[in-house]
Amino acid sequence: VRLAAKRFEPTELGEIVNKLIIEYFPDIVNVTFTAEMEGRLDDVEVGKEQWQRVIDAFYKPFSKEVAKAEEEMEKIQIKDEPAGFDCEVCGSPMVIKLGRFGKFYACSNFPDCRHTQ
C-alpha cells in the first residue's frame, strides 16, 4: 500500500497479490471464518481451548491450500516499463522498475550500470 492524500491506496502489486489470496485462500479473507478463529483464539487465551487443537484444526486444511497454490499459482512478474529518457551515466534507456518501496527509474544496462533515480 501507499499513502496518498492521508489515505491508504493499494499498489499494483498489492492488487495482484490480493486477487491471488482471494482465489487460493478464500477462508483467510472470509469475515465469518476470521471472526470464528478470533473467538477460538480468545478461548485459548482464557484457557477454554488448547492452542494445539486450534492451530491443528486451522493448519490441516490450510496446508492443503498452500500445496495447491504452490502447484498452480504462477509466479508474479511485473515487467519493466520504458521510462522515455536515457541514463545520465551511460546513455542506455532508463526503465521503470518496481521495488519494495514502489516504482523507481533504473538503467536498463544493469548490472554494468547501476544508475537509479
Side-chain angles (χ1 to χ4, degrees):
V1 293
R2 65 177 161 258
L3 191 59
K6 297 183 181 181
R7 292 174 39 163
F8 288 115
E9 289 184 350
T11 61
E12 179 183 357
L13 179 59
E15 296 272 358
I16 293 168
V17 170
N18 187 57
K19 286 178 186 173
L20 291 171
I21 289 173
I22 290 169
E23 180 179 348
Y24 287 97
F25 306 101
D27 284 343
I28 299 299
V29 293
N30 178 302
V31 175
T32 303
F33 171 82
T34 55
E36 288 173 3
M37 177 58 79
E38 186 175 344
R40 294 192 71 193
L41 291 171
D42 288 343
D43 289 346
V44 168
E45 181 181 21
V46 296
K48 289 183 183 177
E49 184 108 45
Q50 291 183 342
W51 70 267
Q52 294 92 338
R53 287 186 187 165
V54 173
I55 298 302
D56 194 47
F58 164 77
Y59 188 74
K60 283 183 180 178
F62 180 70
S63 65
K64 291 176 184 173
E65 291 175 343
V66 169
K68 179 182 176 191
E70 286 177 335
E71 285 179 21
E72 297 177 6
M73 192 183 297
E74 294 180 25
K75 185 176 178 182
I76 299 171
Q77 293 183 345
I78 297 179
K79 297 186 174 142
D80 298 341
E81 303 171 38
F85 60 94
D86 293 334
C87 177
E88 300 169 357
V89 176
C90 74
S92 295
M94 294 290 281
V95 293
I96 301 170
K97 291 189 164 284
L98 182 64
R100 68 182 215 202
F101 298 113
K103 292 184 177 183
F104 66 97
Y105 296 117
C107 182
S108 62
N109 195 23
F110 180 85
D112 294 330
C113 179
R114 297 180 174 271
H115 180 66
T116 59
Q117 294 176 315

